[in-house]
Structure formats: C-alpha cells, structure tokens
Amino acid sequence: MARFDVAFQEMPALAVQGGAADALFELGLAYCSGRDVDVDLIEAHKWFNLAALRGNSEAKRYRSELASEMSRAEIGQAQRRAREWLAVH
C-alpha cells in the first residue's frame, strides 16, 4: 500500500476531499501510534472504521485489533464519531 509523505496537519483535508480510504487509514495509523498526535484509540478506531467502509481491507484488521483493547463504551463512542463524520462529509 502506498504511504503518504504528507504532514499530519494536511491529512484531515485529504480525508475530507472525497473520503479517500488511504487518507482515512493514515489518520487511523497516526492516532493509534501517536505519530504527530497523542495516542487516541477512539479516534483511531473511528478513522479505521471509515477507511474500512471505503474499501481499505487493512483498516478492517487494524479496527478489529483495536476493538480488542477497547471497552464497549469506547467502541460505541468511536462508531458515533464515525457516523457524525459521515453525516457532514
């Protein structure tokens, strides 16, 4: 899979522009690894979920792995955030 050499600050703009699955996946990676942001598993799950919905199969695996480390409440919050994002994009 192609990797993006783009500053994290530019990633949300890329993700919003058409919701490109790879850009959404990269946001998930940033939040689960703490790359340029604090680690936030809820945000990571949200972005992986959105990337998976757009067809990124690797995002499905990452989302599943994260879910095993999260509470049901955290997963629910991540899913709500994903639905909110979809409602405006």
Side-chain angles (χ1 to χ4, degrees):
M1 174 177 321
R3 304 253 336 159
F4 292 97
D5 291 327
V6 178
F8 177 78
Q9 293 77 11
E10 297 174 31
M11 290 302 293
L14 287 175
V16 169
Q17 294 173 348
D22 288 345
L24 298 170
F25 178 74
E26 288 292 324
L27 283 169
L29 287 177
Y31 279 103
C32 77
S33 67
R35 181 182 44 168
D36 298 323
V37 294
D38 291 335
V39 171
D40 185 335
L41 298 186
I42 294 170
E43 278 296 299
H45 188 284
K46 175 186 89 175
W47 292 117
F48 288 141
N49 195 27
L50 291 165
L53 287 171
R54 301 291 165 116
N56 185 307
S57 58
E58 194 170 6
K60 292 176 186 178
R61 184 172 59 85
Y62 277 72
R63 180 187 61 196
S64 178
E65 288 179 19
L66 274 182
S68 70
E69 300 175 22
M70 299 168 67
S71 71
R72 293 182 82 148
E74 290 171 324
I75 293 167
Q77 186 176 5
Q79 291 171 337
R80 279 189 298 282
R81 288 184 190 180
R83 284 191 301 273
E84 290 168 359
W85 188 88
L86 285 170
V88 295
H89 296 96

